[in-house]
Amino acid sequence: MSIIVAFLVSLLGFTFIGVPIAFGIGLTSLITMFLLEMDMPSILARRFVTGIDIYTLMAIPFFMLAGEIMNKAGIVKDLLKFTNAIIGRIRGGLAYVNVLASMFFAGISGSAVADTSAIGSLIIPMMEENGYDKKFSTAITSSSAIIGVIIPPSIPMIIVGSIAQISVARLFLGGMIPGILIGLGLMLYCYYISKKRNYPIGEKITFKQFLNVLKTTIWALILPGIILVGIIGGFFTATEAGVIAVVYAIVISFVFYGVKLKDYPNILREACLNTGIVMLVCASAMALTWFLGVAQVPQNLSNFLLSISDNKLLFLFFINVILFLVGMVVDLTPALFLLVPILLPVSLNYGIDPIHFSIIMVANLSVGLITPPVGTVLYVATSISKLKLEQLIKEMLPMYIILFILLLIITYLPIVVLWLPSLI
Amino acid sequence: MESIFDKILSKIYKLMDILMILSILSLVIIVFSNIIFRYFGKSFTWIDETSRLIFVWMALLAAVNGYKINIHPSFTSFLNKLDKNKRKILLYIINFLILAFLIYLFKGGIDYVNSTKHNKIAILNISVAWKYLAVPVASFVMILETLRKFIYIYKDEFFLDEYEMTEINNN
Amino acid sequence: KREDSKDEITLKIAHYYAVDHPVNRYFEEVFKQKVESETNGSVKVQIYPNSQLGDEQEFVEGVQLGTVEMALTGNLWENTVPEFRIMQMPFMFVNYDHANAVLNGPIGQKIYEYLEPLNVKVLASFPNGFRVISNNRRPINSIDDIPGIKMRVFQGETIIKLMNILGFETIVLPISELFTSLQQGVVDGQDNPLATSFYNGYYEVQKYVAITNHMYSPGYIVINNNVWNKLTKEQQKIIENAAKETAFKIKEAVKNQEEQIIQKIEEQGIVVTYPDLLPFIEKVSPLIDEYINSHPHTESIIKEIKELANEYLK
Ligand code: NA
Ligand code: NA
């Protein structure tokens, strides 16, 4: 018990004063180690390697790289043109374009932050120009960006798959329908708010113009298809899907977008640096989970929860609320590393499918990316629009409610998650 | 004024930058050719071990390079609410904590490499130390960088958001 | 303070079996119970199942350093201590009792001595089972049915060579990808002990099983030497006996459940074949020769194992 308290206090304390999360987790494991009266810094070092030395995790740099190449090529501009051609003509068109473009970009990128910066930096100014409220534009950009980690590929799902030894391919498929549902849910809200605030109607375009847009965008739109078909058809694993995505991105960015060889050092560097950020958290979180394991925190928590109730629905609701709260103060990646090893075994005791539970965790915690005080997507979005976090909250509130309702659907209708993975 | 310390560090970073970029490039090539070769019914047993070895080094080199430019995400609202002097003191404390952790990590890494170096990686038949060495190397460079950050703080040249948040991409 | 803790010691045991796996249950119910009651609580046992303290490579290293006091390991030692490859030689043991007699008897002790420089002591050994081959291509009634079957292998030198020499195409895959890969046809087949394949659900996506027993899969109960030397003679005896008894009970259980598993999978519609193993044994014999050539000092040990086999062949 004292270990759990010390763990929570030091992790939150270090985070609060501004220690980078990865080091905060490392320091917490150091403190846990001392409390256990162990003097084994060598375990720290070994667990650092353990957190990285996993074949499946190699999918992370690959999808980072594929996303980076596509982004540098300027594919997002085409995606916006394309979605605008589909849906821009109705009232509040650009709001729908925002959500829909996020859904398409989600099929290329595995990261919500990448989604925010790629799409947000283009569409927030565009929406402002067209008479949309800046706060609303920033809020809808942030909310729809979390689709980036729900629709495959998804870096958080790669992480869950490798710590829990679940097939990443099945996790990817499990996120497909929930991701689309979140997109539709947000578009429904756009419909309501556009009517209410009388947001502008976009330009109509001719079928010929549409075909022109499609001609350039089609190549970017094919990539998610290749990834999905490859995984469903069993042609390659998730890691290999990542590398296929990279090679495909290199080819089309060269042929259709004129990305040159000399652009590559920077593209590769960015992908590496972004991978490094995730992997340092993975590494130090692995150190922490070892000491928490020695202290038998997972078993104790599991016994504690089971002693309260063995009702599956009650447990799931408890999880929804807890993860929502955790998500407010801990970012998605570290939260997964700390909680998956603890909660997944508990959920098995309640008879919940591990794929279903993993998707619940990712979806639930990804909402944490857009809730203050610690919400990376919010930071990025507000820095694009030069707004303060506090100014956004009022616009975000209804979206939180919608997302929470969608979370409940994902949680209590397992078929939404499990139908697609059951096909392979 | 650029000290010798700065010069040495910048040489180290330059080397690490090149190694990191070559690593991700070779990962792409290795894993991709494995798919191609498998299609033709060939498969190489060393792919898995080699790629993981490269990946461990790549990830830690990238983490160090990222540490230099302060891109590891942190919660800065509290820090930024403080007045200048208090902020400075807290920055000293934060970096002192990081330094303490890194020293433990470095020492642990050296110990671990020393006591397991006779263990072998299965197919490559080389010592596991080649993999584990990445930790003491990475923590050593980060220790040097932390020392330099103390100087920056002292000179009021330490900026948390020296690089825009939009560059940060941690999910 | 150190003085106080001397009369109470906690043995952390790391392993990778699931919580409800028979091996974990026997350790909770037999080993832990016996050690704690017979030492009057002076030795506490804390078992960490399900790779909670890391994967096999990690606790193989951890028990050398003493970061975990004890561990249940598989064949990973063979990477560092080539003498441990003897147990992985194809068709080395004729049945479970033969393997038990070797690994928990004087011959085993000779091999385990090679582990001493790593600061690790083997207390006893138990079987995970004999590995058998399953696939989706065709029933293997003889060695001629093998060519063209894509076989998943784990990252181990002996198994890769063995499968190649038998005529399989081999693909190295981590076990986490195995189920989906079988289902999707990335590979046609896999080899594991019957119980492992059954409980991991591999037979749900396989059509044919051939009882080849081509390789024995040992589990080792190991302890860090410094920890061992700190124990009193009496404690050592209690722990060693408890380990041997637990290993024996696991062996009996593994042996007895195989028939039931075969019956169950046949009911599921899986075709089980019993190919003539002599051509297999002949085909792989160069592997053993090759091994003896590069490790000549093991020849006498291998000879002893083969001689002992006669006692166990009915
Ligand atoms: Na995605
Ligand atoms: Na968006």
Side-chain angles (χ1 to χ4, degrees):
Chain A
M1 196 59 206
S2 63
I3 297 280
I4 297 186
V5 174
F7 153 68
L8 287 174
V9 169
S10 49
L11 187 60
L12 293 179
F14 288 132
T15 306
F16 180 74
I17 63 169
V19 178
I21 314 293
F23 293 109
I25 295 172
L27 283 160
T28 305
S29 50
L30 209 57
I31 286 175
T32 318
M33 178 178 96
F34 290 137
L35 284 177
L36 289 166
E37 292 180 28
M38 301 173 106
D39 182 21
M40 296 173 178
S42 59
I43 284 290
L44 280 184
R46 177 59 171 95
R47 293 300 284 182
F48 252 63
V49 173
T50 305
I52 307 170
D53 186 14
I54 303 171
Y55 184 80
T56 319
L57 285 180
M58 243 181 295
I60 294 178
F62 292 151
F63 283 118
M64 291 269 189
L65 185 54
E68 193 70 36
I69 296 170
M70 298 292 255
N71 195 14
K72 279 275 151 60
I75 278 154
V76 179
K77 253 187 211 140
D78 279 355
L79 272 184
L80 289 179
K81 268 192 222 151
F82 176 72
T83 44
N84 196 35
I86 299 178
I87 207 167
R89 67 189 69 187
I90 59 178
R91 185 166 299 284
L94 277 181
Y96 299 97
V97 167
N98 191 327
V99 179
L100 198 60
S102 280
M103 292 169 73
F104 280 122
F105 195 66
I108 298 169
S109 127
S111 145
V113 178
D115 190 316
T116 318
S117 59
I119 295 176
S121 55
L122 292 176
I123 203 167
I124 291 176
M126 205 192 286
M127 286 175 83
E128 201 184 358
E129 233 166 74
N130 283 282
Y132 288 79
D133 183 347
K134 196 164 160 187
K135 288 177 202 159
F136 170 77
S137 317
T138 314
I140 194 73
T141 302
S142 310
S143 304
S144 60
I146 66 171
I147 301 170
V149 292
I150 318 266
I151 288 183
S154 160
I155 283 161
M157 286 181 201
I158 296 168
I159 290 174
V160 177
S162 19
I163 16 189
Q165 305 260 298
I166 304 174
S167 153
V168 175
R170 290 174 152 232
L171 287 177
F172 274 7
L173 294 179
M176 196 69 211
I177 296 175
I180 293 173
L181 281 183
I182 293 176
L184 293 178
L186 288 173
M187 284 203 249
L188 211 63
Y189 178 67
C190 291
Y191 174 78
Y192 164 79
I193 210 89
S194 307
K195 274 255 157 92
K196 196 176 148 204
R197 295 183 186 165
N198 207 14
Y199 280 143
I201 298 174
E203 267 174 77
K204 274 202 179 104
I205 62 156
T206 63
F207 188 66
K208 205 169 169 195
Q209 281 169 307
F210 174 75
L211 280 185
N212 266 333
V213 179
L214 184 65
K215 236 182 356 205
T216 53
T217 322
I218 188 79
W219 300 105
L221 294 176
I222 286 175
L223 178 54
I226 296 179
I227 295 174
L228 276 183
V229 169
I231 288 176
I232 297 180
F235 300 111
F236 33 77
T237 62
T239 312
E240 291 170 349
V243 92
I244 299 270
V246 170
V247 173
Y248 181 83
I250 292 175
V251 172
I252 67 160
S253 67
F254 174 74
V255 177
F256 299 101
Y257 292 90
V259 173
K260 293 189 188 64
L261 207 58
K262 69 172 167 48
D263 300 327
Y264 270 92
N266 266 331
I267 292 175
L268 291 167
R269 183 177 297 118
E270 279 300 308
C272 283
L273 289 176
N274 290 332
T275 307
I277 293 173
V278 179
M279 298 322 295
L280 192 65
V281 172
C282 291
S284 57
M286 276 299 199
L288 182 52
T289 54
W290 197 89
F291 292 107
L292 293 182
V294 171
Q296 303 215 296
V297 169
Q299 288 94 322
N300 294 340
L301 192 74
S302 171
N303 293 339
F304 173 71
L305 288 176
L306 283 165
S307 75
I308 295 177
S309 162
D310 56 4
N311 183 305
K312 180 168 151 181
L313 298 182
L314 211 63
F315 168 74
L316 281 173
F317 187 73
F318 171 78
I319 289 293
N320 282 140
V321 175
I322 287 287
L323 292 183
F324 196 82
L325 295 177
V326 168
M328 293 175 81
V329 284
V330 188
D331 229 353
L332 176 56
T333 312
L336 284 176
F337 258 98
L338 299 175
L339 292 179
V340 169
I342 296 179
L343 292 179
L344 198 73
V346 185
S347 76
L348 289 176
N349 286 335
Y350 282 94
I352 301 163
D353 186 287
I355 303 253
H356 183 211
F357 194 71
S358 306
I359 302 287
I360 293 175
M361 288 199 70
V362 173
N364 224 316
L365 287 168
S366 69
V367 176
L369 292 170
I370 55 165
T371 49
V374 179
T376 327
V377 164
L378 275 191
Y379 295 158
V380 176
T382 48
S383 82
I384 292 171
S385 59
K386 307 276 182 297
L387 286 171
K388 284 224 160 60
L389 217 68
E390 298 85 73
Q391 296 174 284
L392 264 190
I393 301 306
K394 219 178 125 196
E395 280 294 338
M396 294 294 299
L397 267 177
M399 298 183 198
Y400 293 147
I401 294 170
I402 289 171
L403 288 172
F404 199 78
I405 294 171
L406 288 165
L407 277 179
L408 294 181
I409 293 175
I410 295 168
T411 308
Y412 295 108
L413 281 178
I415 185 143
V416 168
V417 173
L418 293 175
W419 179 66
L420 265 183
S422 74
L423 297 183
I424 65 166
Chain B
M1 181 200 78
E2 204 182 35
S3 66
I4 295 181
F5 184 54
D6 282 328
K7 272 185 196 154
I8 295 174
L9 261 182
S10 75
K11 284 251 159 57
I12 295 177
Y13 283 123
K14 200 159 232 166
L15 178 69
M16 290 198 320
D17 186 59
I18 294 170
L19 287 177
M20 171 182 96
I21 288 173
L22 289 179
S23 301
I24 197 171
L25 207 57
S26 55
L27 282 180
V28 170
I29 294 169
I30 291 176
V31 178
F32 185 68
S33 20
N34 193 34
I35 304 173
I36 303 297
F37 279 112
R38 190 180 61 211
Y39 184 79
F40 293 107
K42 266 202 162 336
S43 97
F44 299 107
T45 53
W46 50 267
I47 300 261
D48 175 86
E49 287 178 357
T50 311
S51 53
R52 270 163 44 201
L53 177 67
I54 296 173
F55 179 48
V56 167
W57 276 94
M58 187 222 104
L60 284 173
L61 290 178
V64 178
N65 280 329
Y67 182 59
K68 178 192 164 209
I69 53 176
N70 287 330
I71 57 169
H72 291 288
S74 61
F75 171 78
T76 51
S77 305
F78 176 69
L79 195 60
N80 288 333
K81 277 203 183 85
L82 299 175
D83 66 46
K84 200 184 146 206
N85 281 328
K86 285 192 185 134
R87 187 173 185 273
K88 204 164 166 176
I89 294 172
L90 191 54
L91 282 175
Y92 277 127
I93 295 175
I94 291 170
N95 281 281
F96 178 77
L97 286 168
I98 293 174
L99 185 67
F101 171 72
L102 287 172
I103 289 173
Y104 261 92
L105 189 63
F106 175 70
K107 186 182 174 299
I110 295 286
D111 287 354
Y112 205 87
V113 166
N114 270 328
S115 40
T116 59
K117 58 176 182 251
H118 39 262
N119 286 275
K120 296 259 176 66
I121 298 177
I123 304 288
L124 296 177
N125 201 27
I126 59 171
S127 166
V128 291
W130 288 110
K131 194 181 279 172
Y132 304 155
L133 200 59
V135 174
V137 168
S139 44
F140 181 71
V141 182
M142 285 197 280
I143 287 173
L144 295 184
E145 184 60 45
T146 312
L147 295 176
R148 183 157 74 167
K149 286 193 199 300
F150 279 115
I151 302 171
Y152 286 147
I153 300 169
Y154 177 76
K155 290 187 188 161
D156 289 322
E157 284 171 6
F158 186 90
F159 299 111
L160 271 172
D161 24 342
E162 157 177 28
Y163 286 77
E164 279 189 338
M165 278 303 275
T166 43
E167 297 274 290
I168 297 185
N169 178 343
N170 74 326
N171 287 294
Chain C
K1 232 180 178 173
R2 280 271 162 226
E3 291 302 306
D4 299 338
S5 56
K6 206 166 195 180
D7 42 4
E8 201 181 274
I9 186 165
T10 302
L11 301 175
K12 294 196 289 293
I13 306 182
H15 69 74
Y16 46 67
Y17 301 96
V19 180
D20 52 358
H21 192 281
V23 168
N24 185 55
R25 284 213 318 271
Y26 279 111
F27 269 85
E28 288 281 359
E29 286 159 18
V30 182
F31 186 81
K32 182 180 162 89
Q33 294 300 330
K34 274 192 104 71
V35 170
E36 289 187 348
S37 72
E38 287 176 22
T39 60
N40 295 319
S42 68
V43 178
K44 289 240 161 21
V45 174
Q46 188 67 64
I47 300 165
Y48 294 89
N50 219 353
S51 302
Q52 271 172 24
L53 297 190
D55 63 9
E56 188 181 359
Q57 179 68 40
E58 268 187 273
F59 51 77
V60 153
E61 292 161 8
V63 81
Q64 297 173 43
L65 270 82
T67 51
V68 292
E69 289 81 8
M70 288 181 65
L72 311 181
T73 77
N75 52 16
L76 258 188
W77 300 108
E78 69 166 0
N79 296 336
T80 309
V81 184
E83 288 79 7
F84 268 65
R85 235 169 270 161
I86 295 174
M87 280 75 92
Q88 299 295 120
M89 286 292 126
F91 305 103
M92 187 50 53
F93 304 112
V94 294
N95 57 33
Y96 287 113
D97 294 320
H98 177 216
N100 184 54
V102 170
L103 295 175
N104 290 319
I107 305 178
Q109 281 310 316
K110 275 188 210 167
I111 302 173
Y112 302 152
E113 269 165 30
Y114 291 101
L115 213 53
E116 293 285 316
L118 298 190
N119 208 18
V120 175
K121 181 180 167 61
V122 179
L123 294 173
S125 172
F126 59 88
N128 293 311
F130 280 101
R131 302 178 78 93
V132 302
I133 291 170
S134 69
N135 85 93
N136 276 332
R137 259 305 146 89
R138 61 185 86 96
I140 300 176
N141 284 305
S142 87
I143 198 162
D144 302 327
D145 294 322
I146 288 177
I149 298 178
K150 271 186 285 176
M151 175 63 59
R152 174 264 173 181
V153 286
F154 64 86
Q155 188 76 270
E157 202 184 310
T158 321
I159 190 77
I160 295 171
K161 280 188 184 160
L162 166 65
M163 288 301 177
N164 281 330
I165 211 169
L166 286 177
F168 290 103
E169 281 175 28
T170 53
I171 291 174
V172 179
L173 275 183
I175 193 127
S176 55
E177 298 284 344
L178 178 52
F179 183 89
T180 334
S181 302
L182 286 171
Q183 200 173 30
Q184 300 175 333
V186 174
V187 291
D188 300 319
Q190 58 95 28
D191 76 313
N192 262 306
L194 274 167
T196 312
S197 303
F198 183 72
Y199 290 112
N200 286 357
Y202 303 146
Y203 291 154
E204 287 162 25
V205 287
Q206 294 275 268
K207 291 186 191 139
Y208 313 106
V209 171
I211 306 300
T212 47
N213 294 340
H214 53 281
M215 188 190 257
Y216 178 75
S217 168
Y220 299 105
I221 308 169
V222 296
I223 188 166
N224 172 277
N225 253 336
N226 302 347
V227 174
W228 179 252
N229 293 332
K230 260 189 247 156
L231 299 164
T232 65
K233 282 273 164 312
E234 200 186 339
Q235 288 171 330
Q236 288 181 344
K237 203 164 174 191
I238 292 168
I239 291 171
E240 188 155 18
N241 285 338
K244 289 243 153 73
E245 188 180 333
T246 314
F248 185 82
K249 288 202 160 139
I250 294 171
K251 183 206 77 179
E252 289 300 304
V254 168
K255 206 164 98 177
N256 293 332
Q257 72 175 349
E258 287 206 333
E259 224 164 290
Q260 295 166 19
I261 292 178
I262 290 177
Q263 201 182 338
K264 274 188 198 157
I265 58 174
E266 280 185 322
E267 279 164 19
Q268 282 173 19
I270 286 180
V271 178
V272 180
T273 58
Y274 298 84
D276 177 14
L277 293 180
L278 261 180
F280 284 70
I281 297 174
E282 276 165 21
K283 196 126 197 196
V284 300
S285 71
L287 277 183
I288 302 175
D289 296 340
E290 189 188 314
Y291 173 75
I292 293 176
N293 275 337
S294 50
H295 305 89
H297 61 288
T298 58
E299 189 171 8
S300 63
I301 298 178
I302 292 176
K303 213 173 133 204
E304 276 181 72
I305 297 176
K306 294 227 157 127
E307 275 163 10
L308 195 61
N310 298 325
E311 285 178 34
Y312 291 91
L313 281 171
K314 281 164 268 170

